[in-house]
Amino acid sequence: MPTFQIFGNNIEDRMGRLRYLLFYLVCGYAAAYGFALTNPNATTPLIGASGAIAGVLGAYLVLYPKARVWVLVPFLIFLPLRLPAWIVLGLWFLLQAACSAGAGITGAGTVAYAAHVVGFVVGMLIAWPLKPGTPPPPEPAGILFGRQTRGDW
């Protein structure tokens, strides 16, 4: 299941379709311009929606920090664990920020890490006023590791 479907559906439910569309576009727009400001000498085209998706992740962190999400943790093998969103998204953000600063990257790379950082922060800022009164996300019933566990398709 793509990241967009795991986190995005709860954010869309909280904002409504039209506001979610505007939110997504604003996050993508801000991420693209944030990347351009931090990399003024870049000559490669910026293609993709990862900055907008990072905005969705930032909004999820603000609105649903205690929601538990399934992740695969590499420890000799991939262990499926259900962790709080604040841990998963916080570590993801730190990884993006470190890569944006040039840590652990050899060569120029082709990922716009700065766009991820800017999109994430913009998503958090936009979602902050929505936090009061946000109900917890619904628990996924009948789903284990992204697959249906019952025959009620």
Side-chain angles (χ1 to χ4, degrees):
M1 195 177 256
T3 303
F4 190 76
Q5 290 176 329
I6 294 170
F7 299 104
N9 61 352
N10 291 323
I11 303 302
E12 181 183 15
D13 289 345
R14 177 64 179 96
M15 293 183 174
R17 285 191 173 180
L18 182 58
R19 287 194 329 169
Y20 178 72
L21 174 64
L22 293 173
F23 163 79
Y24 187 81
L25 293 173
V26 166
C27 287
Y29 189 80
Y33 275 93
F35 175 79
L37 289 173
T38 59
N39 298 286
N41 298 327
T43 58
T44 57
L46 184 62
I47 300 172
S50 59
I53 293 170
V56 172
L57 298 180
Y60 197 90
L61 178 62
V62 168
L63 297 176
Y64 308 109
K66 294 179 184 176
R68 299 177 74 76
V69 295
W70 284 105
V71 293
L72 291 175
V73 177
F75 184 75
L76 299 176
I77 60 171
F78 284 100
L79 299 173
L81 297 176
R82 197 152 182 229
L83 298 174
W86 70 268
I87 292 174
V88 176
L89 297 176
L91 289 174
W92 181 86
F93 178 77
L94 290 176
L95 178 65
Q96 301 305 305
C99 290
S100 177
I105 298 177
T106 58
T110 58
V111 177
Y113 293 107
H116 298 170
V117 171
V118 171
F120 192 89
V121 171
V122 168
M124 288 178 68
L125 292 173
I126 293 173
W128 201 267
L130 298 174
K131 181 146 181 72
T134 299
E139 284 292 320
I143 296 179
L144 182 62
F145 307 118
R147 297 181 182 262
Q148 291 282 343
T149 58
R150 290 181 268 154
D152 55 353
W153 299 61

